[in-house]
Protein backbone atom coordinates (compact mmCIF):
# COMPACT_ATOMS: atom_id res chain seq x y z
CA UNK A 1 0.00 0.00 0.00
CA UNK A 2 1.45 3.34 -1.01
CA UNK A 3 1.03 6.32 1.27
CA UNK A 4 -0.45 9.54 -0.13
CA UNK A 5 1.73 12.57 -0.76
CA UNK A 6 2.74 14.53 2.35
CA UNK A 7 1.47 11.77 4.60
CA UNK A 8 3.04 13.05 7.86
CA UNK A 9 1.43 16.47 7.38
CA UNK A 10 -1.90 14.87 6.49
CA UNK A 11 -1.75 12.64 9.55
CA UNK A 12 -0.94 15.57 11.84
CA UNK A 13 -3.83 17.57 10.39
CA UNK A 14 -6.15 14.58 10.74
CA UNK A 15 -5.32 14.04 14.41
CA UNK A 16 -5.53 17.77 15.13
CA UNK A 17 -8.90 18.00 13.42
CA UNK A 18 -10.30 14.98 15.25
CA UNK A 19 -9.04 16.33 18.58
CA UNK A 20 -10.67 19.73 18.04
CA UNK A 21 -13.84 17.97 16.90
CA UNK A 22 -14.01 16.17 20.25
CA UNK A 23 -13.47 19.44 22.11
CA UNK A 24 -16.23 21.12 20.11
CA UNK A 25 -18.64 18.32 20.98
CA UNK A 26 -17.90 18.81 24.67
CA UNK A 27 -18.54 22.55 24.29
CA UNK A 28 -21.97 21.93 22.78
CA UNK A 29 -22.83 19.41 25.48
CA UNK A 30 -21.85 21.82 28.25
CA UNK A 31 -23.97 24.56 26.64
CA UNK A 32 -27.06 22.35 27.22
CA UNK A 33 -29.04 24.02 24.45
CA UNK A 34 -29.45 21.08 22.09
CA UNK A 35 -27.08 18.80 20.20
CA UNK A 36 -26.57 17.71 16.60
CA UNK A 37 -28.55 14.58 15.58
CA UNK A 38 -25.80 12.01 16.14
CA UNK A 39 -24.93 13.46 19.54
CA UNK A 40 -28.59 13.42 20.52
CA UNK A 41 -28.41 9.68 19.84
CA UNK A 42 -25.14 9.29 21.75
CA UNK A 43 -26.48 11.21 24.74
CA UNK A 44 -29.72 9.22 24.85
CA UNK A 45 -27.94 5.90 24.40
CA UNK A 46 -25.05 6.39 26.88
CA UNK A 47 -26.92 5.82 30.18
CA UNK A 48 -28.79 2.87 28.70
CA UNK A 49 -25.63 0.97 27.83
CA UNK A 50 -23.71 2.12 30.90
CA UNK A 51 -20.92 3.97 29.10
CA UNK A 52 -19.67 7.53 29.17
CA UNK A 53 -20.73 9.87 26.39
CA UNK A 54 -17.37 9.65 24.64
CA UNK A 55 -17.14 5.88 24.83
CA UNK A 56 -20.66 5.70 23.43
CA UNK A 57 -19.49 7.84 20.51
CA UNK A 58 -16.67 5.38 19.87
CA UNK A 59 -18.89 2.28 20.17
CA UNK A 60 -21.54 3.72 17.84
CA UNK A 61 -18.79 4.61 15.37
CA UNK A 62 -17.58 1.00 15.43
CA UNK A 63 -21.10 -0.36 14.92
CA UNK A 64 -21.65 2.03 12.01
CA UNK A 65 -18.34 0.91 10.52
CA UNK A 66 -19.60 -2.69 10.55
CA UNK A 67 -22.55 -1.52 8.45
CA UNK A 68 -20.01 -0.64 5.76
CA UNK A 69 -19.44 -4.33 5.02
CA UNK A 70 -22.59 -4.94 2.93
CA UNK A 71 -22.11 -1.50 1.35
CA UNK A 72 -18.57 -2.43 0.23
CA UNK A 73 -17.03 0.71 1.65
CA UNK A 74 -13.30 0.82 2.36
CA UNK A 75 -12.12 2.42 5.60
CA UNK A 76 -8.92 4.41 5.79
CA UNK A 77 -6.64 5.34 8.65
CA UNK A 78 -8.81 8.42 9.12
CA UNK A 79 -11.83 6.19 9.64
CA UNK A 80 -10.12 4.16 12.35
CA UNK A 81 -8.71 7.21 14.15
CA UNK A 82 -12.12 8.88 13.95
CA UNK A 83 -13.57 6.03 16.00
CA UNK A 84 -10.76 6.16 18.57
CA UNK A 85 -9.95 9.85 18.97
CA UNK A 86 -13.18 11.87 18.92
CA UNK A 87 -15.05 10.15 21.73
CA UNK A 88 -11.94 9.82 23.88
CA UNK A 89 -11.13 13.53 23.57
CA UNK A 90 -14.76 14.43 24.25
CA UNK A 91 -14.67 12.58 27.58
CA UNK A 92 -11.41 14.29 28.56
CA UNK A 93 -12.75 17.70 27.60
CA UNK A 94 -15.99 17.13 29.52
CA UNK A 95 -13.94 16.32 32.60
CA UNK A 96 -12.03 19.60 32.31
CA UNK A 97 -14.77 21.94 31.09
CA UNK A 98 -17.22 23.40 33.62
CA UNK A 99 -20.83 24.02 32.66
CA UNK A 100 -21.49 27.78 32.25
CA UNK A 101 -24.28 29.54 34.11
CA UNK A 102 -26.71 31.90 32.41
CA UNK A 103 -27.97 31.96 28.84
CA UNK A 104 -25.32 34.41 27.60
CA UNK A 105 -22.31 32.20 28.36
CA UNK A 106 -24.23 29.11 27.24
CA UNK A 107 -25.10 30.62 23.85
CA UNK A 108 -21.51 31.82 23.45
CA UNK A 109 -20.18 28.34 24.20
CA UNK A 110 -22.67 26.83 21.77
CA UNK A 111 -21.73 29.28 19.02
CA UNK A 112 -18.00 28.75 19.44
CA UNK A 113 -18.60 25.00 19.61
CA UNK A 114 -20.47 24.95 16.30
CA UNK A 115 -17.82 27.07 14.56
CA UNK A 116 -14.99 24.94 15.96
CA UNK A 117 -16.88 21.80 14.95
CA UNK A 118 -17.11 22.98 11.35
CA UNK A 119 -13.45 24.02 11.22
CA UNK A 120 -12.34 20.74 12.78
CA UNK A 121 -14.52 18.81 10.33
CA UNK A 122 -12.95 20.66 7.43
CA UNK A 123 -9.50 19.81 8.80
CA UNK A 124 -9.99 16.06 9.15
CA UNK A 125 -11.93 15.76 5.89
CA UNK A 126 -9.31 17.84 4.09
CA UNK A 127 -6.56 15.48 5.24
CA UNK A 128 -7.96 12.94 2.77
CA UNK A 129 -7.13 9.85 4.80
CA UNK A 130 -10.58 8.29 4.91
CA UNK A 131 -14.07 9.43 5.87
CA UNK A 132 -15.59 9.09 9.31
CA UNK A 133 -17.79 6.02 9.80
CA UNK A 134 -21.00 8.08 9.71
CA UNK A 135 -20.00 9.90 6.52
CA UNK A 136 -19.00 6.61 4.92
CA UNK A 137 -22.39 5.15 5.76
CA UNK A 138 -24.03 7.99 3.85
CA UNK A 139 -21.79 7.71 0.78
CA UNK A 140 -22.15 3.92 0.82
CA UNK A 141 -25.95 4.13 0.74
CA UNK A 142 -25.74 6.69 -2.06
CA UNK A 143 -23.49 4.41 -4.11
CA UNK A 144 -25.65 1.32 -3.57
CA UNK A 145 -29.07 2.94 -4.05
CA UNK A 146 -28.31 5.66 -6.58
CA UNK A 147 -30.16 8.19 -4.43
CA UNK A 148 -28.77 11.74 -4.13
CA UNK A 149 -26.75 12.73 -1.09
CA UNK A 150 -29.32 15.26 0.09
CA UNK A 151 -32.01 12.59 0.42
CA UNK A 152 -29.83 9.93 2.03
CA UNK A 153 -28.23 12.42 4.46
CA UNK A 154 -31.63 13.81 5.44
CA UNK A 155 -33.16 10.38 6.04
CA UNK A 156 -30.20 9.25 8.17
CA UNK A 157 -30.08 12.47 10.19
CA UNK A 158 -33.84 12.54 10.85
CA UNK A 159 -33.87 8.85 11.84
CA UNK A 160 -30.90 9.27 14.18
CA UNK A 161 -32.40 12.42 15.71
CA UNK A 162 -35.77 10.76 16.29
CA UNK A 163 -34.23 7.69 17.95
CA UNK A 164 -31.96 9.84 20.11
CA UNK A 165 -34.84 12.04 21.21
CA UNK A 166 -36.95 9.02 22.14
CA UNK A 167 -34.02 7.74 24.22
CA UNK A 168 -33.83 11.06 26.10
CA UNK A 169 -31.19 12.99 24.16
CA UNK A 170 -31.24 16.81 24.25
CA UNK A 171 -33.02 18.44 21.33
CA UNK A 172 -33.32 22.20 21.36
CA UNK A 173 -32.35 25.47 19.73
CA UNK A 174 -28.77 24.27 19.44
CA UNK A 175 -29.97 21.41 17.26
CA UNK A 176 -31.57 23.86 14.85
CA UNK A 177 -28.59 26.24 14.86
CA UNK A 178 -26.23 23.35 14.14
CA UNK A 179 -28.39 22.09 11.28
CA UNK A 180 -28.58 25.48 9.52
CA UNK A 181 -24.97 26.57 10.07
CA UNK A 182 -22.62 23.57 10.07
CA UNK A 183 -22.70 23.08 6.30
CA UNK A 184 -21.79 26.72 5.72
CA UNK A 185 -18.87 26.56 8.17
CA UNK A 186 -17.46 23.34 6.70
CA UNK A 187 -17.92 24.68 3.16
CA UNK A 188 -15.74 27.71 3.91
CA UNK A 189 -13.24 25.87 6.11
CA UNK A 190 -12.51 22.94 3.81
CA UNK A 191 -10.58 24.88 1.09
CA UNK A 192 -8.04 25.99 3.71
CA UNK A 193 -7.31 22.40 4.73
CA UNK A 194 -7.72 20.37 1.51
CA UNK A 195 -4.33 19.08 0.36
CA UNK A 196 -5.51 19.03 -3.27
CA UNK A 197 -6.77 22.63 -3.21
CA UNK A 198 -4.06 23.69 -5.69
CA UNK A 199 -5.43 21.19 -8.20
CA UNK A 200 -8.94 22.51 -7.71
CA UNK A 201 -7.99 26.18 -7.92
CA UNK A 202 -8.30 26.45 -11.74
CA UNK A 203 -11.73 24.82 -11.59
CA UNK A 204 -12.87 27.14 -8.83
CA UNK A 205 -11.58 30.13 -10.76
Amino acid sequence: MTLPDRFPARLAQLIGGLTLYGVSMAMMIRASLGLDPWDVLHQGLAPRIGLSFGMTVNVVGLVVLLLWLPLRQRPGIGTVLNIIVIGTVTDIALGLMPAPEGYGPRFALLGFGIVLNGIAGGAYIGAGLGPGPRDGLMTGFCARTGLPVKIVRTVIEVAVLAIGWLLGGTVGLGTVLYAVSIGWVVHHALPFFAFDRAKRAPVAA
Side-chain angles (χ1 to χ4, degrees), residues 91-140:
D91 271 351
I92 294 172
L94 285 172
L96 299 174
M97 190 182 303
E101 297 183 2
Y103 280 104
R106 288 168 63 191
F107 272 110
L109 190 62
L110 173 66
F112 283 121
I114 292 174
V115 172
L116 181 60
N117 189 271
I119 293 173
Y124 83 71
I125 293 170
L129 293 177
R134 296 155 186 83
D135 293 327
L137 179 67
M138 175 193 67
T139 57

Coordinates of all heavy atoms in Angstrom, one line a residue, residues 91-140:
D91 N -14.6 12.9 26.2 CA -14.7 12.6 27.6 C -13.7 13.4 28.4 O -14.0 13.9 29.5 CB -14.4 11.1 27.8 CG -15.7 10.3 27.7 OD1 -16.8 10.9 27.7 OD2 -15.6 9.0 27.7
I92 N -12.4 13.5 27.9 CA -11.4 14.3 28.6 C -11.8 15.7 28.7 O -11.7 16.4 29.8 CB -10.1 14.2 27.8 CG1 -9.6 12.7 27.9 CG2 -9.0 15.1 28.4 CD1 -8.3 12.5 27.0
A93 N -12.3 16.3 27.6 CA -12.8 17.7 27.6 C -13.9 17.9 28.6 O -14.0 19.0 29.3 CB -13.1 18.2 26.2
L94 N -14.9 17.0 28.6 CA -16.0 17.1 29.5 C -15.5 17.1 31.0 O -16.1 17.8 31.8 CB -17.0 16.0 29.3 CG -17.9 16.1 28.0 CD1 -18.7 14.8 27.8 CD2 -18.8 17.3 28.1
G95 N -14.5 16.4 31.2 CA -13.9 16.3 32.6 C -13.2 17.6 33.0 O -13.1 17.9 34.2
L96 N -12.8 18.4 32.0 CA -12.0 19.6 32.3 C -12.9 20.9 32.2 O -12.5 21.9 32.7 CB -10.8 19.7 31.4 CG -9.8 18.6 31.5 CD1 -8.7 18.8 30.4 CD2 -9.1 18.6 32.9
M97 N -14.0 20.8 31.5 CA -14.8 21.9 31.1 C -16.0 22.1 32.0 O -16.9 21.2 32.0 CB -15.2 21.8 29.6 CG -15.8 23.0 29.0 SD -16.4 22.7 27.3 CE -14.9 22.2 26.6
P98 N -16.0 23.2 32.8 CA -17.2 23.4 33.6 C -18.4 23.8 32.8 O -18.3 24.4 31.7 CB -16.8 24.5 34.6 CG -15.8 25.3 33.8 CD -15.0 24.3 32.9
A99 N -19.6 23.6 33.3 CA -20.8 24.0 32.7 C -21.1 25.5 33.0 O -21.1 25.9 34.2 CB -22.0 23.2 33.1
P100 N -21.3 26.3 32.0 CA -21.5 27.8 32.3 C -22.9 28.0 32.8 O -23.8 27.2 32.6 CB -21.4 28.4 30.9 CG -21.8 27.3 29.9 CD -21.3 26.0 30.5
E101 N -23.0 29.1 33.5 CA -24.3 29.5 34.1 C -24.8 30.7 33.4 O -24.1 31.6 33.0 CB -24.1 29.9 35.6 CG -23.7 28.7 36.4 CD -23.6 29.0 37.9 OE1 -23.9 30.2 38.3 OE2 -23.2 28.2 38.7
G102 N -26.1 30.8 33.1 CA -26.7 31.9 32.4 C -26.8 31.6 30.9 O -25.9 31.0 30.3
Y103 N -27.8 32.2 30.3 CA -28.0 32.0 28.8 C -26.9 32.6 28.0 O -26.5 32.1 26.9 CB -29.4 32.4 28.4 CG -30.5 31.5 28.7 CD1 -31.3 31.7 29.8 CD2 -30.6 30.3 28.0 CE1 -32.3 30.8 30.1 CE2 -31.6 29.4 28.3 CZ -32.5 29.7 29.4 OH -33.5 28.8 29.7
G104 N -26.4 33.8 28.4 CA -25.3 34.4 27.6 C -24.1 33.5 27.4 O -23.7 33.3 26.3
P105 N -23.5 33.1 28.5 CA -22.3 32.2 28.4 C -22.6 30.9 27.7 O -21.8 30.4 26.9 CB -21.9 32.0 29.8 CG -22.4 33.1 30.6 CD -23.7 33.5 29.9
R106 N -23.8 30.4 27.9 CA -24.2 29.1 27.2 C -24.4 29.3 25.7 O -23.9 28.4 24.9 CB -25.5 28.6 27.8 CG -25.4 28.0 29.3 CD -26.7 27.8 29.9 NE -27.5 26.8 29.2 CZ -28.8 26.6 29.5 NH1 -29.4 27.3 30.4 NH2 -29.4 25.6 28.8
F107 N -25.0 30.4 25.3 CA -25.1 30.6 23.9 C -23.7 30.9 23.2 O -23.5 30.5 22.1 CB -26.0 31.8 23.6 CG -27.5 31.4 23.5 CD1 -28.4 31.7 24.5 CD2 -27.9 30.7 22.4 CE1 -29.7 31.4 24.4 CE2 -29.3 30.3 22.3 CZ -30.2 30.6 23.3
A108 N -22.9 31.6 24.0 CA -21.5 31.8 23.5 C -20.7 30.5 23.3 O -20.1 30.3 22.3 CB -20.8 32.7 24.4
L109 N -20.9 29.6 24.3 CA -20.2 28.3 24.2 C -20.7 27.5 23.1 O -20.0 26.9 22.3 CB -20.3 27.6 25.5 CG -19.5 26.3 25.7 CD1 -18.0 26.7 25.7 CD2 -19.8 25.6 27.0
L110 N -22.1 27.5 22.9 CA -22.7 26.8 21.8 C -22.2 27.4 20.4 O -21.8 26.6 19.5 CB -24.2 27.0 21.8 CG -25.0 26.4 20.6 CD1 -24.8 24.9 20.6 CD2 -26.5 26.8 20.7
G111 N -22.2 28.7 20.3 CA -21.7 29.3 19.0 C -20.3 28.9 18.7 O -20.0 28.5 17.6
F112 N -19.4 29.1 19.7 CA -18.0 28.8 19.4 C -17.9 27.3 19.2 O -17.0 26.8 18.4 CB -17.2 29.2 20.6 CG -16.9 30.6 20.7 CD1 -17.2 31.4 21.8 CD2 -16.2 31.3 19.7 CE1 -17.0 32.7 21.9 CE2 -15.9 32.6 19.8 CZ -16.3 33.4 20.9
G113 N -18.7 26.4 19.8 CA -18.6 25.0 19.6 C -19.0 24.6 18.2 O -18.3 23.8 17.6
I114 N -20.0 25.2 17.7 CA -20.5 24.9 16.3 C -19.4 25.4 15.3 O -19.1 24.6 14.4 CB -21.8 25.6 16.0 CG1 -22.9 25.0 16.8 CG2 -22.2 25.5 14.5 CD1 -24.3 25.7 16.7
V115 N -18.9 26.6 15.5 CA -17.8 27.1 14.6 C -16.6 26.2 14.6 O -16.0 25.8 13.6 CB -17.4 28.5 14.9 CG1 -16.2 29.0 14.1 CG2 -18.6 29.5 14.6
L116 N -16.2 25.8 15.8 CA -15.0 24.9 16.0 C -15.3 23.6 15.4 O -14.4 23.0 14.7 CB -14.6 24.8 17.4 CG -13.4 23.9 17.7 CD1 -12.2 24.5 17.1 CD2 -13.2 23.8 19.3
N117 N -16.5 23.1 15.5 CA -16.9 21.8 14.9 C -16.7 21.8 13.4 O -16.2 20.9 12.8 CB -18.3 21.5 15.4 CG -18.7 20.1 15.0 OD1 -19.2 19.8 13.9 ND2 -18.5 19.1 15.9
G118 N -17.2 22.9 12.8 CA -17.1 23.0 11.4 C -15.7 23.1 10.9 O -15.3 22.5 9.9
I119 N -14.9 23.9 11.6 CA -13.5 24.0 11.2 C -12.7 22.7 11.4 O -11.9 22.3 10.5 CB -12.8 25.1 12.1 CG1 -13.4 26.5 11.7 CG2 -11.3 25.1 11.9 CD1 -12.9 27.6 12.6
A120 N -13.0 22.0 12.5 CA -12.3 20.7 12.8 C -12.8 19.7 11.7 O -12.0 18.9 11.3 CB -12.7 20.3 14.2
G121 N -14.1 19.7 11.4 CA -14.5 18.8 10.3 C -13.8 19.1 9.0 O -13.4 18.1 8.3
G122 N -13.7 20.3 8.7 CA -12.9 20.7 7.4 C -11.5 20.2 7.5 O -11.0 19.7 6.5
A123 N -10.9 20.2 8.7 CA -9.5 19.8 8.8 C -9.3 18.3 8.6 O -8.5 17.8 7.9 CB -9.0 20.2 10.2
Y124 N -10.2 17.5 9.3 CA -10.0 16.1 9.1 C -10.5 15.5 7.8 O -9.9 14.6 7.3 CB -10.6 15.3 10.4 CG -12.0 15.0 10.4 CD1 -12.6 14.0 9.5 CD2 -12.9 15.6 11.3 CE1 -13.9 13.7 9.6 CE2 -14.2 15.2 11.3 CZ -14.7 14.3 10.5 OH -16.0 13.9 10.5
I125 N -11.5 16.2 7.2 CA -11.9 15.8 5.9 C -10.9 16.1 4.9 O -10.5 15.4 4.0 CB -13.3 16.4 5.5 CG1 -14.4 15.9 6.4 CG2 -13.6 16.2 4.1 CD1 -15.7 16.6 6.3
G126 N -10.3 17.4 5.0 CA -9.3 17.8 4.1 C -8.0 17.0 4.1 O -7.3 17.0 3.1
A127 N -7.8 16.3 5.2 CA -6.6 15.5 5.2 C -6.6 14.4 4.2 O -5.6 13.8 3.8 CB -6.4 14.9 6.6
G128 N -7.8 13.9 3.8 CA -8.0 12.9 2.8 C -7.5 11.6 3.1 O -6.9 10.8 2.3
L129 N -7.6 11.2 4.4 CA -7.1 9.8 4.8 C -8.3 8.9 5.2 O -8.0 7.9 5.9 CB -6.2 10.0 6.0 CG -4.9 10.7 5.7 CD1 -4.0 10.9 7.0 CD2 -4.1 10.0 4.7
G130 N -9.4 9.2 4.7 CA -10.6 8.3 4.9 C -11.7 9.0 5.6 O -11.4 9.8 6.6
P131 N -12.9 8.8 5.2 CA -14.1 9.4 5.9 C -14.4 8.9 7.2 O -13.9 7.8 7.6 CB -15.2 9.1 4.9 CG -14.9 7.8 4.3 CD -13.4 7.8 4.2
G132 N -15.1 9.6 8.0 CA -15.6 9.1 9.3 C -16.6 8.0 9.1 O -17.2 7.9 8.0
P133 N -16.9 7.1 10.0 CA -17.8 6.0 9.8 C -19.2 6.5 9.4 O -19.8 5.9 8.6 CB -17.8 5.3 11.1 CG -17.2 6.2 12.1 CD -16.3 7.1 11.4
R134 N -19.7 7.6 10.0 CA -21.0 8.1 9.7 C -21.1 8.7 8.3 O -22.1 8.5 7.6 CB -21.4 9.1 10.8 CG -21.5 8.5 12.2 CD -21.3 9.5 13.3 NE -21.3 8.9 14.6 CZ -20.2 8.4 15.1 NH1 -19.0 8.4 14.5 NH2 -20.2 7.8 16.3
D135 N -20.0 9.4 7.9 CA -20.0 9.9 6.5 C -19.9 8.8 5.5 O -20.5 8.8 4.4 CB -18.8 10.9 6.3 CG -19.0 12.1 7.2 OD1 -20.1 12.6 7.4 OD2 -17.9 12.6 7.6
G136 N -19.1 7.7 5.8 CA -19.0 6.6 4.9 C -20.3 5.8 4.8 O -20.6 5.3 3.7
L137 N -21.1 5.8 5.8 CA -22.4 5.2 5.8 C -23.3 5.9 4.7 O -23.9 5.2 3.9 CB -23.1 5.2 7.1 CG -24.4 4.5 7.2 CD1 -24.4 3.0 7.0 CD2 -25.1 4.8 8.6
M138 N -23.2 7.2 4.8 CA -24.0 8.0 3.9 C -23.6 7.8 2.4 O -24.4 7.5 1.5 CB -23.9 9.5 4.2 CG -24.6 10.4 3.2 SD -24.1 12.1 3.5 CE -22.4 12.1 3.0
T139 N -22.3 7.9 2.2 CA -21.8 7.7 0.8 C -22.0 6.3 0.3 O -22.2 6.1 -0.9 CB -20.3 8.1 0.7 OG1 -19.5 7.3 1.6 CG2 -20.1 9.6 1.0
G140 N -21.9 5.3 1.2 CA -22.2 3.9 0.8 C -23.6 3.7 0.4 O -23.8 3.0 -0.6

